[in-house]
Amino acid sequence: MPLQYNDVYVDGHLVRSSDTLDETYAALAETGGVAWIELTEPDALDLDSLAARFDLHELAVEDAGSGHQRAKLERYGATLFVVVRPAVYVDDEETVSFGEIHVFVGPDFFVGINHIDEIDARHVSRGVTRLQSKPELMAAGPQAMLWALLDSVVDAYKPVIDGLENDIDEIEQQLFAGEPGVSRRIYELFGEVADFQKASRPLIGMLDGLLRGSEKYRVGTELERRLRDVQDHVIRIVERADTFRAVLQNALSLNATLVAQDQNEVTKRISAWAAILFAPTLIGAIYGMNFDVMPELHWAFGYPFALGLMVLIGVGLWGVFKGKRWL
C-alpha cells in the first residue's frame, strides 16, 4: 500500500507527516487537526483500518476497494463519498486514458484512494501544491481539499477536449479524402467522447449538490465561490463534448452516405461496361450459330460489316454512358 500523502494540518499549516496510518491517527488525536491521506490500491487491512478510525460506511468502503465505479457523490451521515474520473490525452496514441479516484471527506479527514496510479497521482499532487500555497483556504478543512482535487481534475480536462477536437478535425479531412479505415477511427473517437462524457457530466450534479449543501455544512463564501467556478468550467467542457458527439454522429452518417455513393458509382461503371460489351457479344453469338442458310454467310463484306457493327454500337454506347457520366 504506497502512501502518497499522510499528513496532518492545523489551521491550514502542515504540522506532521507520518509513515504509517497509526502515526497519523495519533497525530490527529494529539493536535485536533485535519488529516490528508492518499493511498494507491490499498489492501483490505488498510481499508478496514480507515473505516474503523473514521467510521466509513461499509458500502462506500466496498466500492472503494473494488473500483470500476462511475463518477458520483454520495453522503453517508457526516461523510461524503466521491468518485472522480480524471482523464489524460495520450498524444502518441491519440487516445484518452481515464483514472479513478475515490475520496472520503469528513469533519477532520480527507482520504483519497487512487486506482490508476500514473494518472491519479498527478492530480492529487497538483491539488496539494495548490492548497499549500493558500493556507487560509486550506484552513477551511477537508471541503477545501475536495475543491483542490476537483479543480485539478477539471483543469486537466481541457487538454483532453483540445486533443479530441484536433482528432475530429483530422477525421473531417480524412472523410472527404476517402482514406481507408476512417469508419473505424470515427467509431473509436465516438467511444472516447462517450467515455469522457461519462466521466465529466456527473460533476455538474455533484458540484450542484455541494453548493446546495454549502450553508448546511458551513462551506465558507470563498470556497463556495471556487466550487461555483469549477462548476462553470465543467459545464463548458460538457457542452463541448456534447458538440463533439453530435459532430461524430453526423460524420458517421456522412461516411455511410459517401460509401453508398462510391458503391453506386462502381455499380454504374460495371453496368455501363457490361452494356458496351454486350453488343459485340450478341452480334458475335448470332453470326456464330451453325446454320447453313444465313443471308450474310456468303456476302463478301459480311465479316467487315459484322466487325464494323460491333465497333459502331460499342462506341455509340460508350458515348451515351460518357455523356451521362457513368464512365
Side-chain angles (χ1 to χ4, degrees):
M1 173 219 54
L3 269 168
Q4 186 178 355
Y5 291 98
N6 193 25
D7 305 328
V8 174
Y9 292 82
V10 175
D11 295 330
H13 297 280
L14 178 64
V15 297
R16 191 78 56 84
S17 290
S18 305
D19 294 325
T20 66
L21 291 175
D22 288 336
E23 291 177 3
T24 299
Y25 301 156
L28 269 180
E30 177 186 339
T31 63
V34 174
W36 186 329
I37 301 172
E38 198 76 31
L39 310 91
T40 298
E41 292 292 343
D43 55 32
L45 291 177
D46 292 314
L47 285 175
D48 290 342
S49 172
L50 291 167
R53 172 60 181 82
F54 298 120
D55 192 25
L56 306 179
H57 196 280
E58 60 178 338
L59 292 178
V61 173
E62 182 181 347
D63 287 346
S66 60
H68 305 290
Q69 301 294 312
R70 61 179 177 83
K72 61 182 178 179
L73 182 149
E74 297 173 344
R75 186 174 290 279
Y76 297 91
T79 302
L80 281 175
F81 176 58
V82 181
V83 180
V84 292
R85 302 295 307 274
V88 174
Y89 184 81
V90 184
D91 287 315
D92 295 339
E93 302 175 4
E94 293 188 337
T95 58
V96 180
S97 296
F98 295 91
E100 184 175 342
I101 305 175
H102 295 199
V103 178
F104 295 93
V105 182
D108 63 346
F109 63 89
F110 177 97
V111 176
I113 297 173
N114 304 330
H115 283 272
I116 312 294
D117 184 40
E118 64 274 13
I119 296 176
D120 299 340
R122 70 186 70 178
H123 296 289
V124 175
S125 298
R126 191 181 299 124
V128 171
T129 302
R130 187 169 301 179
L131 268 186
Q132 284 178 340
S133 64
K134 298 178 174 63
E136 70 286 353
L137 192 59
M138 177 74 88
Q143 295 275 10
M145 298 172 182
L146 178 59
W147 162 79
L149 175 62
L150 293 176
D151 191 45
S152 175
V153 169
V154 172
D155 281 351
Y157 282 161
K158 188 177 184 304
V160 176
I161 280 287
D162 291 341
L164 288 172
E165 185 174 30
N166 183 65
D167 288 345
I168 291 172
D169 290 341
E170 292 176 356
I171 284 292
E172 292 175 347
Q173 297 173 6
Q174 292 170 354
L175 263 177
F176 293 103
E179 293 187 16
V182 67
S183 298
R184 178 176 182 143
R185 183 60 180 136
I186 294 173
Y187 186 79
E188 291 173 347
L189 263 178
F190 192 88
E192 290 177 6
V193 171
D195 289 340
F196 182 76
Q197 287 180 307
K198 292 176 184 177
S200 59
R201 183 178 291 278
L203 286 174
I204 298 176
M206 292 162 60
L207 286 159
D208 186 59
L210 290 173
L211 289 167
R212 281 190 282 107
S214 60
E215 183 176 352
K216 179 179 179 180
Y217 295 99
R218 299 178 182 178
V219 176
T221 302
E222 177 62 23
L223 184 55
E224 182 180 352
R225 186 180 297 119
R226 290 176 181 271
L227 287 172
R228 199 173 301 281
D229 179 67
V230 175
Q231 187 183 44
D232 290 341
H233 291 171
V234 172
I235 290 173
R236 287 198 294 270
I237 286 170
V238 168
E239 287 175 347
R240 289 183 67 186
D242 290 343
T243 301
F244 292 167
R245 185 161 184 163
V247 169
L248 288 171
Q249 285 176 329
N250 292 336
L252 281 173
S253 299
L254 177 60
N255 183 61
T257 301
L258 293 175
V259 169
Q261 287 180 347
D262 289 342
Q263 291 175 341
N264 189 42
E265 291 298 319
V266 171
T267 302
K268 286 180 179 180
R269 292 191 187 95
I270 294 174
S271 300
W273 283 112
I276 292 171
L277 295 174
F278 174 74
T281 301
L282 177 63
I283 295 171
I286 291 174
Y287 285 99
M289 292 187 293
N290 296 319
F291 291 109
D292 293 330
V293 181
M294 289 184 70
E296 294 84 3
L297 283 179
H298 303 289
W299 184 32
F301 298 102
Y303 179 67
F305 171 77
L307 291 179
L309 188 60
M310 292 179 186
V311 173
L312 181 63
I313 294 176
V315 171
L317 288 173
W318 181 86
V320 171
F321 289 124
K322 190 70 174 176
K324 292 180 175 292
R325 296 185 179 179
W326 282 34
L327 294 173

